[in-house]
Amino acid sequence: MKPTDSLKNVIHLSERDKRTQTAHSEPGVDQKTRVISVASGKGGVGKTNIVANIGYSFSKLGKKVLIFDADLGLGNMDILLGLAPKHNFSHAMTGEKKIEDIVMTGPAGMKIIPAASGIQELTELSENQQIWVLHELERFASQFDLFIFDTGAGISNNVIYFSAVAQEVILVITPEPTSITDAYALMKILHYRHDINEFNLIVNMVKSQKDALDIFRQLNLVVKRFLNINLNYSGYVLIDEKITKCVRMQKIVSELYPESCSTICFNAITRQFTDSSLINPHASKSRHFNWKKF
Ligand SMILES: Nc1ncnc2c1ncn2[C@@H]1O[C@H](COP(=O)(O)OP(=O)(O)OP(=O)(O)O)[C@@H](O)[C@H]1O
Ligand SMILES: [Mg+2]
């Protein structure tokens, strides 16, 4: 059975799970699991590369890392890592496979839940489907230290949902004004619709640390003034031709070029996240998904 043929079954399945969920206690990942969503608004700013390299860097520190390719209809984390999954999340959604059966092992042992590519129905999950997905992820994620969502481009319901349920949101921007305004738009939606008041910022594809800090300061002024949001500076990634080279080779730069300028930046970002063990004050109260928001 092709995934597309049976996607409608998910809705039925989800109705059942939604009823089960309301009948039982509130679900949650294990207290130790840290759940981070990586989003941007604008596409092509480097989210997938950042997730893969930070995931790798955390794995090298001995953390158990799970990456969810939350770009459900147009995922490409598997391509970036040179994996060739036989099954992906669409098969879990139709009930053909369990998440345990589709999860792949990437560099440094990090685990990846691959997404489908080219299944339009998955680009906008219904509310019931979202709830079902969250339940499945929570069930599986509790054995990991770090759970990262690599969201897609834009401000689709999926992007908003996965960012809203995560404990922490990392926004990725580049120096392009369009990237900055799109990230602002995304923060605005998450703030007003889901009461998220804290974001972490990574500035990608910069020529220097100074450029990254200048951009952070400018954006920080605007969000403080107009949105009353806290923006944490989580670091920067220098523009590095080795990244493009590695993308073509389907390898990640941190593995292939551990001394490259971008790998040094990825490691610094990882350190920043390990040091600030809890960046989001919501996370200190509860290590659960922000389930109550829905
Ligand atoms: N620091 C960098 N230096 C040079 N090139 C980079 C850097 N970061 C990302 N890129 C390039 O940008 C391209 C897009 O990166 P990536 O796929 O990670 O973006 P994305 O935000 O996940 O895109 P999408 O929104 O489509 O999911 C890649 O092909 C990569 O080569
Ligand atoms: Mg991507």
Side-chain angles (χ1 to χ4, degrees):
M1 183 163 51
K2 279 189 205 153
T4 35
D5 297 337
S6 54
L7 278 175
K8 54 182 177 293
N9 295 341
V10 174
I11 295 170
H12 182 68
L13 190 70
S14 305
E15 289 289 0
R16 190 198 63 205
D17 274 33
K18 192 178 183 184
R19 283 197 297 273
T20 317
Q21 187 267 320
T22 37
H24 290 85
S25 59
E26 183 185 313
V29 291
D30 194 284
Q31 292 290 311
K32 76 178 174 61
T33 311
R34 190 172 179 180
V35 188
I36 302 179
S37 172
V38 178
S40 64
K42 190 176 185 318
V45 297
K47 294 179 293 297
T48 303
N49 273 277
I50 287 173
V51 170
N53 284 283
I54 289 178
Y56 178 83
S57 175
F58 268 105
S59 302
K60 288 295 240 183
L61 291 176
K63 303 280 180 203
K64 288 171 82 178
V65 176
L66 176 64
I67 293 174
F68 175 49
D69 190 342
D71 197 352
L72 290 182
L74 213 55
N76 52 18
M77 179 62 78
D78 53 325
I79 312 281
L80 190 81
L81 297 174
L83 305 173
K86 278 202 187 114
H87 299 101
N88 57 54
F89 198 69
S90 69
H91 299 96
M93 290 196 68
T94 58
E96 285 169 71
K97 295 279 167 196
K98 287 186 163 174
I99 295 192
E100 290 84 333
D101 302 327
I102 60 164
V103 76
M104 307 276 296
T105 302
M110 59 186 179
K111 301 289 180 188
I112 292 101
I113 304 175
S117 187
I119 301 189
Q120 202 186 356
E121 293 95 314
L122 292 177
T123 56
E124 286 283 348
L125 297 181
S126 68
E127 194 186 330
N128 286 338
Q129 288 174 322
Q130 288 175 341
I131 291 169
W132 181 85
V133 168
L134 195 61
H135 262 265
E136 282 300 290
L137 295 178
E138 281 181 321
R139 182 182 61 74
F140 188 68
S142 59
Q143 37 186 309
F144 292 88
D145 301 309
L146 182 67
F147 187 17
I148 318 178
F149 301 158
D150 176 24
T151 70
I155 48 170
S156 67
N157 287 339
N158 285 3
V159 172
I160 301 298
Y161 183 72
F162 288 119
S163 298
V165 298
Q167 296 161 344
E168 298 161 64
V169 180
I170 297 179
L171 284 176
V172 179
I173 60 169
T174 68
E176 286 184 17
T178 45
S179 157
I180 298 166
T181 51
D182 287 4
Y184 180 86
L186 182 57
M187 279 190 273
K188 196 170 160 185
I189 293 171
L190 285 166
H191 176 63
Y192 285 119
R193 284 205 209 144
H194 298 289
D195 200 24
I196 297 182
N197 300 315
E198 183 127 11
F199 294 87
N200 309 298
L201 193 79
I202 294 177
V203 192
N204 188 22
M205 301 196 219
V206 284
K207 288 190 184 135
S208 68
Q209 181 178 25
K210 185 186 172 300
D211 286 358
L213 277 167
D214 285 348
I215 292 165
F216 165 73
R217 285 190 190 115
Q218 282 166 24
L219 184 58
N220 197 24
L221 276 179
V222 179
V223 297
K224 268 212 160 56
R225 181 159 173 213
F226 295 105
L227 299 178
N228 199 19
I229 276 174
N230 267 343
L231 198 58
N232 303 307
Y233 179 68
S234 299
Y236 66 100
V237 185
L238 292 172
I239 195 152
D240 183 0
E241 61 185 25
K242 291 208 170 61
I243 291 190
T244 325
K245 189 176 167 187
C246 287
V247 169
R248 288 204 201 103
M249 295 167 74
Q250 295 184 269
K251 295 272 180 205
I252 53 170
V253 71
S254 304
E255 188 181 22
L256 216 55
Y257 296 103
E259 308 299 328
S260 72
C261 64
S262 55
T263 301
I264 290 164
C265 295
F266 290 126
N267 291 339
I269 292 169
T270 300
R271 269 200 306 280
Q272 153 93 11
F273 272 89
T274 346
D275 293 346
S276 59
S277 68
L278 291 169
I279 285 173
N280 183 344
H282 296 298
S284 60
K285 288 186 203 127
S286 165
R287 284 243 148 185
H288 291 224
F289 280 113
N290 291 324
W291 181 265
K292 280 184 182 155
K293 289 186 176 170
F294 291 86

